Structures are given as C-alpha cells and as structure tokens.
Amino acid sequence: MADIRNYTLNFGPQHPAAHGVLRLVLEMDGEVVQRADPHIGLLHRATEKLAETRTWVQSVPYMDRLDYVSTMCNEHAYCLGVEKLLQIEVPERGKYIRTMFDEVTRILNHLLWIGCHALDVGAMTMALYTFREREDLMDAYEAVCGARLHAAYYRPGGVYRDLPDRMPQYRESTWTSAKKAKDLNDNRSGSLLDFLEDFTERFPKYHAEYHTLLTDNRIWKQRLVNVGIVSPERAMQLGFTGAMLRGSGIAWDLRKKQPYAAYDKVDFDVPVGVSGDSYDRYLVRMEEMLQSNRIIKQCIAWLRANPGPVITDNHKVAPPDRESMKSNMEELIHHFKLFTEGIHVPPGEAYAAIEHPKGEFGIYFISDGANKPYRMKIRAPGFAHLAAMDEMANGHMLADVVTIIGSQDVVFGEIDR
C-alpha cells in the first residue's frame, strides 16, 4: 500500500492562531512538520508606495496601520527619519513624552501578545486579565489624542500637543449606574500623569497574577519549553531583533546601544534568555513589561517637574500657536503654507530605527527636496522572524506550529505592508 501519511496542509489564512492573514503551507509526515512555507501578501496595502503621494505629515497615520497594536512606536521611527533629514532637534519635554508613550505602547503590545498567545495554546483566562489592563492604557491614548487605537499623535519635531490636565470620564448610562460610574472615575479625577502613575502602582500586582496563571503551569511549560529553539549565532544570522534575539541570549537593545528620545536618561535593564526556546521568549517579554513600567515612572517624575514646549519652534516644520498667528502676518503665512503644501524636506537619505515591541522597526527615506518622500522603505521586525518559520518548525508537531507563531509575535500589517 502507498504511504498516505505525507500530505500538504494549509494553515490559515482563516485560522485564528495565524495572527492575521498568514497562509502557511505545511508539508507533513503524519503530525510532524517536514517543511513550512509562509505565503504573505494577503493584507498588502502599498503603504510604501502611498507615502510617495502624501506629504510628510500625511503619512504619519499610515504608520498606525502597520503594526496596529504598537501605533505610537511606528510613528516614532517615521518622525525620527524625517527629523534626521531636516536636522532638527525635538524639545526635551517632547522626548520624554515620546519615551513614556513608547513604553505604554510596549506594555499594550505585550499584553495583547500574551493574551492571544495563551489563547492559541489553550489558556483561555489570560486574555480576560490582559484586556482589563489594556483598557486603562487605551484610556491614556484616548486622553492624549482622542483615539484609542490609531493615535497619529507624534509629529516631525515633537508631539501634536502637551499632556492633558484631565482624563475622559465615565458617565451614567443604561449599562453604568451612577455608583459604578463614580467608582470607575476614582482614578480619573486628576491629570493624565496622575492616571498613569496610579496604573504604574497597580501594574506589578496584575503582572504577578499573570505569572501565577502561566509561568509554572505545567501545561504551559509542556507547550513552550524546548519548542522553536534558535541558537544565539543562528538568531543573529537570521536577522532576529527584539525579544526574539534577546530570548536567544543576545543582549541587544537599541534603547541601550543606539539611544534615541530620552532613553539615555532613564534607568532600566535588558532581560535575556538562556535556551532560545519559546518559553525564554515568553519570560523575556514578561520582564520587559516590568522594565517598561519602571521607565514610565521615571518619565512621569521628570514631566511633572519640567514644563516646556513639546514640539519644535521651527514654523517651517510645526505650526505656530494661535496667539502669534493673530499678531504676526509671517506666522500666518507659515501656517497656511504648512497646511496646504506640507514640509519641504532637504534632498538626502536617512535611516532611523527604534526598539519597537517586536524588534528593530526602521524607516528608510530618500528625499528629493519635495514636500513628499521620493521613496520610503520599511524594515519590519516580523518579516525577518517569519522568514525563519521553516527552520523553527521543522521536526516539530503541528500543535507546536501554533506555539512558534505565537512566540514570534507577528502582526501582518507590518509584514505585508
């Protein structure tokens, strides 16, 4: 009889554990993976090409649509690239606000990751816990820019506006009693900084709950330990960055190695793994959340003590304030030119990268001196990680493929672009 164990299996794109629109073609020997071939492009929205037809500022919201759970970090790399070409400096307060919100975004990303990763391998409860904390941090997003997901808050030269003095409030409704609304508003009675400070005090307790649920859970360890092992040498050869590289034991973090924003002025540690397996990558990201919490606390303390401008005073790059526009015709002309034509960026090329929650996220620009990029290319961390899927999954069981995809923390907005 012919051997019928060898077959080809389509994993995704509709599979919930494919983390988006991944189509993974698996060549199987029974339940053992012989080859994994990722097919991407099902979410392609031509972001890089679109940038050539939009002004430099108009492309900022397109960054939010890349990795849509790490929106402000995407914007940060984009703005750093524009600032390199313009050779402008961001005010110190703007740098600290960016640093604080990058770390808020890192916690948001890792909370979604661990909730979904746990769901993928059968731990249903985690998502309920992590989404509870995400709601608080998304309230902080909403307070500062009006949106809970696609922020469009960063600008070349700084951030759109300073931090608000009050938080959005819950109101009595059909679903919320007056008492419930009052309880929900207890920690929302002060400024955004007060609200975030309250969150940083509460978060270690929530974080301990995640550890209680998962870290020593024997089913969790059986599903993650020794699955998808990547050696330190191979991780570097494959172009891994972020937790994928640090999980293999390489202490590489752009916030330390190539500091930007205010990262050279805050104190934090870079966690690294030992075995390079899915469990180590889990532990690295878990510790990163606590380090982010630590950075946010330091930023809050600095921002309380240091008022000042949050965006450059170069009015060829950022709009003048309303007061000066009313009294100065030159400022009014700058305002109109900025909002009709956009920024004119000097000819040249630049690459700017940040330590995104998923790894090194970079933007490469070529400018020909016009009010829009001549070319833009995106270096998405997930693209390099997904390229290693065949190597990581080979010889593992079908169920382990779900674990490996989850441990890579891929989001297809940035991979397909």
Side-chain angles (χ1 to χ4, degrees), residues 34-48:
Q34 299 295 303
R35 182 167 175 266
D37 184 11
H39 287 226
I40 66 168
L42 298 170
L43 194 67
H44 184 56
R45 289 167 295 186
T47 305
E48 293 165 333

PDB file of all heavy atoms in Angstrom, residues 34-48:
ATOM      1  N   GLN A  34       7.558  18.686   8.046  1.00  0.00           N
ATOM      2  CA  GLN A  34       8.770  18.484   7.250  1.00  0.00           C
ATOM      3  C   GLN A  34       9.244  19.801   6.627  1.00  0.00           C
ATOM      4  O   GLN A  34      10.424  20.019   6.436  1.00  0.00           O
ATOM      5  CB  GLN A  34       8.501  17.472   6.125  1.00  0.00           C
ATOM      6  CG  GLN A  34       8.084  16.103   6.610  1.00  0.00           C
ATOM      7  CD  GLN A  34       9.189  15.417   7.392  1.00  0.00           C
ATOM      8  OE1 GLN A  34      10.299  15.226   6.907  1.00  0.00           O
ATOM      9  NE2 GLN A  34       8.897  15.051   8.636  1.00  0.00           N
ATOM     10  N   ARG A  35       8.275  20.669   6.300  1.00  0.00           N
ATOM     11  CA  ARG A  35       8.607  21.950   5.682  1.00  0.00           C
ATOM     12  C   ARG A  35       7.481  22.936   5.952  1.00  0.00           C
ATOM     13  O   ARG A  35       6.307  22.579   5.925  1.00  0.00           O
ATOM     14  CB  ARG A  35       8.788  21.770   4.169  1.00  0.00           C
ATOM     15  CG  ARG A  35       9.186  23.035   3.425  1.00  0.00           C
ATOM     16  CD  ARG A  35       9.657  22.696   2.010  1.00  0.00           C
ATOM     17  NE  ARG A  35       9.939  23.908   1.248  1.00  0.00           N
ATOM     18  CZ  ARG A  35       9.068  24.514   0.452  1.00  0.00           C
ATOM     19  NH1 ARG A  35       7.850  24.011   0.310  1.00  0.00           N
ATOM     20  NH2 ARG A  35       9.400  25.609  -0.208  1.00  0.00           N
ATOM     21  N   ALA A  36       7.839  24.177   6.247  1.00  0.00           N
ATOM     22  CA  ALA A  36       6.842  25.234   6.464  1.00  0.00           C
ATOM     23  C   ALA A  36       7.133  26.374   5.498  1.00  0.00           C
ATOM     24  O   ALA A  36       8.225  26.945   5.512  1.00  0.00           O
ATOM     25  CB  ALA A  36       6.911  25.738   7.910  1.00  0.00           C
ATOM     26  N   ASP A  37       6.170  26.697   4.660  1.00  0.00           N
ATOM     27  CA  ASP A  37       6.356  27.718   3.623  1.00  0.00           C
ATOM     28  C   ASP A  37       5.358  28.863   3.855  1.00  0.00           C
ATOM     29  O   ASP A  37       4.186  28.736   3.513  1.00  0.00           O
ATOM     30  CB  ASP A  37       6.127  27.058   2.252  1.00  0.00           C
ATOM     31  CG  ASP A  37       6.389  28.009   1.094  1.00  0.00           C
ATOM     32  OD1 ASP A  37       6.946  29.099   1.347  1.00  0.00           O
ATOM     33  OD2 ASP A  37       6.024  27.675  -0.045  1.00  0.00           O
ATOM     34  N   PRO A  38       5.811  29.990   4.424  1.00  0.00           N
ATOM     35  CA  PRO A  38       4.877  31.105   4.672  1.00  0.00           C
ATOM     36  C   PRO A  38       4.540  31.845   3.374  1.00  0.00           C
ATOM     37  O   PRO A  38       5.426  32.200   2.605  1.00  0.00           O
ATOM     38  CB  PRO A  38       5.652  32.032   5.618  1.00  0.00           C
ATOM     39  CG  PRO A  38       6.913  31.313   5.978  1.00  0.00           C
ATOM     40  CD  PRO A  38       7.152  30.294   4.917  1.00  0.00           C
ATOM     41  N   HIS A  39       3.256  32.043   3.119  1.00  0.00           N
ATOM     42  CA  HIS A  39       2.789  32.835   1.974  1.00  0.00           C
ATOM     43  C   HIS A  39       2.205  34.140   2.516  1.00  0.00           C
ATOM     44  O   HIS A  39       1.226  34.112   3.257  1.00  0.00           O
ATOM     45  CB  HIS A  39       1.710  32.072   1.190  1.00  0.00           C
ATOM     46  CG  HIS A  39       2.251  30.937   0.389  1.00  0.00           C
ATOM     47  ND1 HIS A  39       1.904  30.708  -0.920  1.00  0.00           N
ATOM     48  CD2 HIS A  39       3.139  29.955   0.708  1.00  0.00           C
ATOM     49  CE1 HIS A  39       2.547  29.634  -1.368  1.00  0.00           C
ATOM     50  NE2 HIS A  39       3.292  29.163  -0.391  1.00  0.00           N
ATOM     51  N   ILE A  40       2.810  35.251   2.146  1.00  0.00           N
ATOM     52  CA  ILE A  40       2.320  36.530   2.660  1.00  0.00           C
ATOM     53  C   ILE A  40       1.810  37.392   1.504  1.00  0.00           C
ATOM     54  O   ILE A  40       1.896  37.016   0.343  1.00  0.00           O
ATOM     55  CB  ILE A  40       3.408  37.268   3.470  1.00  0.00           C
ATOM     56  CG1 ILE A  40       4.566  37.677   2.556  1.00  0.00           C
ATOM     57  CG2 ILE A  40       3.888  36.426   4.637  1.00  0.00           C
ATOM     58  CD1 ILE A  40       5.532  38.644   3.194  1.00  0.00           C
ATOM     59  N   GLY A  41       1.289  38.553   1.837  1.00  0.00           N
ATOM     60  CA  GLY A  41       0.823  39.494   0.819  1.00  0.00           C
ATOM     61  C   GLY A  41      -0.680  39.633   0.763  1.00  0.00           C
ATOM     62  O   GLY A  41      -1.207  40.442   0.005  1.00  0.00           O
ATOM     63  N   LEU A  42      -1.410  38.874   1.580  1.00  0.00           N
ATOM     64  CA  LEU A  42      -2.872  38.928   1.533  1.00  0.00           C
ATOM     65  C   LEU A  42      -3.434  40.208   2.162  1.00  0.00           C
ATOM     66  O   LEU A  42      -4.594  40.531   1.990  1.00  0.00           O
ATOM     67  CB  LEU A  42      -3.462  37.701   2.241  1.00  0.00           C
ATOM     68  CG  LEU A  42      -3.099  36.349   1.607  1.00  0.00           C
ATOM     69  CD1 LEU A  42      -3.527  35.212   2.502  1.00  0.00           C
ATOM     70  CD2 LEU A  42      -3.754  36.209   0.243  1.00  0.00           C
ATOM     71  N   LEU A  43      -2.591  40.942   2.900  1.00  0.00           N
ATOM     72  CA  LEU A  43      -3.032  42.187   3.533  1.00  0.00           C
ATOM     73  C   LEU A  43      -2.353  43.407   2.904  1.00  0.00           C
ATOM     74  O   LEU A  43      -2.406  44.499   3.417  1.00  0.00           O
ATOM     75  CB  LEU A  43      -2.713  42.139   5.035  1.00  0.00           C
ATOM     76  CG  LEU A  43      -3.379  43.179   5.937  1.00  0.00           C
ATOM     77  CD1 LEU A  43      -4.868  42.958   6.016  1.00  0.00           C
ATOM     78  CD2 LEU A  43      -2.768  43.148   7.322  1.00  0.00           C
ATOM     79  N   HIS A  44      -1.699  43.205   1.761  1.00  0.00           N
ATOM     80  CA  HIS A  44      -0.863  44.269   1.179  1.00  0.00           C
ATOM     81  C   HIS A  44      -1.691  45.519   0.860  1.00  0.00           C
ATOM     82  O   HIS A  44      -2.689  45.454   0.147  1.00  0.00           O
ATOM     83  CB  HIS A  44      -0.192  43.744  -0.087  1.00  0.00           C
ATOM     84  CG  HIS A  44       0.755  44.728  -0.705  1.00  0.00           C
ATOM     85  ND1 HIS A  44       1.806  45.267   0.012  1.00  0.00           N
ATOM     86  CD2 HIS A  44       0.822  45.262  -1.928  1.00  0.00           C
ATOM     87  CE1 HIS A  44       2.471  46.098  -0.776  1.00  0.00           C
ATOM     88  NE2 HIS A  44       1.891  46.114  -1.953  1.00  0.00           N
ATOM     89  N   ARG A  45      -1.236  46.661   1.433  1.00  0.00           N
ATOM     90  CA  ARG A  45      -1.960  47.922   1.208  1.00  0.00           C
ATOM     91  C   ARG A  45      -1.058  48.997   0.600  1.00  0.00           C
ATOM     92  O   ARG A  45      -1.420  50.156   0.564  1.00  0.00           O
ATOM     93  CB  ARG A  45      -2.553  48.424   2.527  1.00  0.00           C
ATOM     94  CG  ARG A  45      -3.719  47.570   2.983  1.00  0.00           C
ATOM     95  CD  ARG A  45      -4.086  47.881   4.400  1.00  0.00           C
ATOM     96  NE  ARG A  45      -3.012  47.523   5.315  1.00  0.00           N
ATOM     97  CZ  ARG A  45      -3.117  47.584   6.632  1.00  0.00           C
ATOM     98  NH1 ARG A  45      -4.227  47.975   7.185  1.00  0.00           N
ATOM     99  NH2 ARG A  45      -2.100  47.251   7.403  1.00  0.00           N
ATOM    100  N   ALA A  46       0.134  48.612   0.146  1.00  0.00           N
ATOM    101  CA  ALA A  46       1.035  49.509  -0.578  1.00  0.00           C
ATOM    102  C   ALA A  46       1.398  50.753   0.216  1.00  0.00           C
ATOM    103  O   ALA A  46       1.476  51.846  -0.326  1.00  0.00           O
ATOM    104  CB  ALA A  46       0.421  49.893  -1.917  1.00  0.00           C
ATOM    105  N   THR A  47       1.662  50.593   1.510  1.00  0.00           N
ATOM    106  CA  THR A  47       1.983  51.742   2.371  1.00  0.00           C
ATOM    107  C   THR A  47       3.200  52.503   1.855  1.00  0.00           C
ATOM    108  O   THR A  47       3.201  53.730   1.825  1.00  0.00           O
ATOM    109  CB  THR A  47       2.242  51.263   3.821  1.00  0.00           C
ATOM    110  OG1 THR A  47       1.109  50.508   4.261  1.00  0.00           O
ATOM    111  CG2 THR A  47       2.455  52.435   4.762  1.00  0.00           C
ATOM    112  N   GLU A  48       4.230  51.777   1.447  1.00  0.00           N
ATOM    113  CA  GLU A  48       5.457  52.424   0.983  1.00  0.00           C
ATOM    114  C   GLU A  48       5.207  53.243  -0.285  1.00  0.00           C
ATOM    115  O   GLU A  48       5.756  54.330  -0.461  1.00  0.00           O
ATOM    116  CB  GLU A  48       6.542  51.374   0.731  1.00  0.00           C
ATOM    117  CG  GLU A  48       7.003  50.701   2.010  1.00  0.00           C
ATOM    118  CD  GLU A  48       7.806  49.427   1.775  1.00  0.00           C
ATOM    119  OE1 GLU A  48       7.619  48.774   0.738  1.00  0.00           O
ATOM    120  OE2 GLU A  48       8.610  49.073   2.659  1.00  0.00           O
TER     121      GLU A  48
END
